[in-house]
Amino acid sequence: QNLKSAGMSGHDVIKELISNSETFKQKTEYSQAKWLRKKAAKHAPQFACESATAFSLCRAYFHKEPAKTCYLREDAMARMLTLSNVQPGSRALVVDSSNGMMLGAVAERVGGTGTIAAGYNGIQPSVDAVRWLNLADEVLQPLFHFPLSEIGAMSAPSPAPAPA
């Protein structure tokens, strides 16, 4: 910790630990490699940045907070997308209670060339996952939201006009 707080990089810390270790040179080659892997994981962590896709976001939500997406796994999402035959140019109706995860996957797959009607319950749509996907404006342009409560009003017969 003192070496790290002094501003040394992780690899420099590991080199310093090797030079201060009395038993490192006595270890077998396998034990040395194992010790180096352990120290590298502790002092020089590595990560890779990847762009968010519907599947990577679904995987992250499932491992971090699965209740937010109704415990939706990426294989189940892939199955639903396959069975719905959503493709570029499709017209889709999506009623999503998985925090916008399915809506984002459909929008990503349609790619801005179709039409997506997204129904929601309540005051406003819950589309956090769509925002996390960081989709382009062209992809989100054919997407429109409507409250499901309006469906009943659409199917009700309109009053007959009063006779003149």
Side-chain angles (χ1 to χ4, degrees):
Q1 288 293 4
N2 294 338
L3 297 174
K4 271 189 163 179
S5 62
M8 292 182 76
S9 71
H11 295 292
D12 293 337
V13 170
I14 293 171
K15 286 179 186 176
E16 190 69 29
L17 289 173
I18 289 172
S19 66
N20 290 340
S21 174
E22 298 171 2
T23 60
F24 182 77
K25 291 183 175 47
Q26 298 168 355
K27 295 181 182 213
T28 64
E29 186 177 327
Y30 175 77
S31 296
Q32 286 180 353
K34 184 178 170 184
W35 187 87
L36 284 172
R37 275 195 312 272
K38 231 163 89 172
K39 296 301 177 186
K42 183 176 181 180
H43 298 291
Q46 294 180 343
F47 63 92
C49 294
E50 61 181 61
S51 60
T53 64
F55 293 107
S56 65
L57 188 61
C58 187
R59 185 180 323 118
Y61 263 119
F62 186 74
H63 290 297
K64 184 102 172 145
E65 292 183 272
K68 279 194 169 186
T69 57
C70 299
Y71 298 89
L72 179 67
R73 290 192 330 241
E74 57 193 306
D75 60 332
M77 184 174 66
R79 182 81 171 151
M80 284 190 273
L81 287 171
T82 301
L83 291 175
S84 66
N85 197 24
V86 173
Q87 54 194 345
S90 295
R91 293 183 311 163
L93 170 65
V94 180
V95 179
D96 186 3
S97 61
S98 61
N99 210 15
M101 182 60 64
M102 282 305 299
L103 181 61
V106 169
E108 185 180 69
R109 186 162 290 188
V110 168
T113 59
T115 304
I116 305 168
Y120 63 90
N121 280 321
I123 299 170
Q124 65 184 18
S126 176
V127 291
D128 288 340
V130 176
R131 281 193 289 273
W132 280 103
L133 283 174
N134 199 23
L135 297 170
D137 289 337
E138 305 87 53
V139 174
L140 295 176
Q141 193 238 347
L143 173 66
F144 66 92
H145 301 278
F146 67 94
L148 291 173
S149 59
E150 287 184 10
I151 290 179
M154 286 188 266
S155 64
S158 55

